[in-house]
Amino acid sequence: MKREKLEEVLKQLVNDEKITTATQDEILAAVSERASDTHRSIFAEIGGYLGGTFVIVAVATFIAQRFDDISTPVRFALFLTLAIVLGAISLLLGITSSVKVRLSSVLGLGSAISCTGSIAMLLDDSDPPTLAFAIGSLVVTFFFLRNRNELLHLATFGYLFLSSLMVASTLISGDFDGAPLLLTTIFWMGLSAIWIFLSYRSMIRKSLGYALAVIAIFISTQVQFTSNNRVISYVVAAISALALARLFLAERSWPLLPGAVIIVTFSVGEFVAATLGGSAGALIGLFAAGVALIASSLYTIRVLIS
C-alpha cells in the first residue's frame, strides 16, 4: 500500500475513533523505519553481488595476465583459496532471510566456479576438464541441498548436464562413431528422470525442475537426430512425450504439456523431412492431422467449460 493511501486510511480510523492520533503516528513511524531498512538491505545485497564479482574477476584477470609467469601450484592455490573464502562466507551468512538466501546462493555458486577453476589448473589443456566439472558439480550440489534457491537449482542442473557430456567423452574415445553422444544421451535422460522424480516429490521447485528436465530431453532427441541416430531420436521422443503427457494429467504443471507438444512437433517434422523426403502428400497429411488435433482440442475444452 502506498504511503498516501495508508495515511488516508489511518486518518479515517482516527476520525471514526477506532485508533488514537498517537497510534497513527506510531504506525507511520514504523512504516518509515521499515522502508529505510528495506532500502539499506537492497544496497547491501547489491554490494555483496558486486563485491563477489569484483573478487572473482580480479583473481581471474591476475592469473590470465601472468599465466606463463605463475606456476601451476600457485594458480591452483589462488583459485582454491578464493573458493574456500566464498564458500565459508556463504555458509556463515546463513539462509534466515530472503536477502541472505539470494546472496548466499551467489557466493556458493562463485565458490563452485572457483573450485572448478582450481582443479582445471592441474589438468592438461588437451584433455576435457572432466574432473574439474565433476568436483564443481559436487560443490554446487552441496550448496543447493542447503539452499534450494533458483540460481543454485539452475547451476546444479547445468553443472551435471555438462559433466555428463564430459564423462561420456572420457569413458568412450572418439574412435567409436556416435558412441560418446549415445552415452551422453543416456546420462541426460537419467538426469531428466531424476529431476522429474524430485519435482514430483516436491523436493525441488516443481515448475523449474520440470522445465529443466524437458529441455534436457528435447536436446537429447535433437543430438541423436543430428548424429544420424534417427530411430533412437524418434523412440526417445515418443516415449518421453507420452510420459510427459501422462504426468501432466496428474500434476497439471505447465512445462509438461508444452514440452510434450514441442518434442512431438519437432520429431514429426524431422521424420517427415528425413524419411518421406518432405513430399507434398506427407505434408498435406501432416497438416490435416494438425488441424484435426486442434479442432478436437477446442471441442474438448468447450465441452469441459460448459
Side-chain angles (χ1 to χ4, degrees), residues 162-183:
L162 292 176
S163 297
S164 300
L165 175 62
M166 294 180 185
V167 169
S169 300
T170 303
L171 294 177
I172 302 178
S173 65
D175 298 336
F176 298 92
D177 187 27
L181 289 178
L182 180 58
L183 183 58

Side-chain angles (χ1 to χ4, degrees), residues 56 59-60 63 67 72 75-84 86-87 107-125 127-141 143 155-156 158-160 162-163 166:
I56 294 176
V59 172
I63 293 177
F67 192 84
T72 298
R75 295 180 215 149
F76 168 77
L78 285 173
F79 272 112
L80 183 60
T81 301
L82 180 59
I84 293 173
L86 294 178
L107 294 173
L109 177 58
S111 176
I113 293 174
S114 301
C115 188
T116 304
S118 67
I119 302 301
M121 293 296 110
L122 302 176
L123 303 178
D124 195 321
D125 295 338
D127 297 329
T130 305
L131 181 60
F133 269 84
I135 294 178
S137 298
L138 293 176
V139 174
V140 75
T141 301
F143 285 108
T156 301
Y159 256 98
L160 294 173
L162 292 176
S163 297
M166 294 180 185

Side-chain angles (χ1 to χ4, degrees), residues 240-282:
S240 301
L242 289 174
L244 292 175
R246 176 65 183 86
L247 185 58
F248 175 76
L249 296 177
E251 282 287 280
R252 304 289 179 177
S253 184
W254 69 264
L256 297 172
L257 186 59
V261 171
I262 291 173
I263 291 171
V264 169
T265 301
F266 271 79
S267 295
V268 170
E270 290 164 351
F271 176 79
V272 170
T275 306
L276 303 178
S279 63

Side-chain angles (χ1 to χ4, degrees), residues 118-229:
S118 67
I119 302 301
M121 293 296 110
L122 302 176
L123 303 178
D124 195 321
D125 295 338
S126 60
D127 297 329
T130 305
L131 181 60
F133 269 84
I135 294 178
S137 298
L138 293 176
V139 174
V140 75
T141 301
F142 166 76
F143 285 108
F144 177 55
L145 292 175
R146 184 175 175 275
N147 179 5
R148 305 294 173 89
N149 177 266
E150 288 84 354
L151 176 63
L152 288 175
H153 191 164
L154 288 168
T156 301
F157 191 88
Y159 256 98
L160 294 173
F161 188 86
L162 292 176
S163 297
S164 300
L165 175 62
M166 294 180 185
V167 169
S169 300
T170 303
L171 294 177
I172 302 178
S173 65
D175 298 336
F176 298 92
D177 187 27
L181 289 178
L182 180 58
L183 183 58
T184 300
T185 297
I186 295 174
F187 286 157
W188 285 346
M189 294 301 294
L191 179 62
S192 300
I194 292 173
W195 240 246
I196 289 174
F197 174 79
L198 295 176
S199 300
Y200 183 77
R201 292 291 186 179
S202 300
M203 299 173 69
I204 57 178
R205 297 291 178 91
K206 281 196 173 186
S207 296
L208 182 57
Y210 285 139
L212 291 173
V214 167
I215 292 172
I217 293 172
F218 175 75
I219 294 176
S220 298
T221 60
Q222 296 308 300
V223 165
Q224 290 306 307
F225 181 82
T226 55
S227 60
N228 290 324
N229 294 324

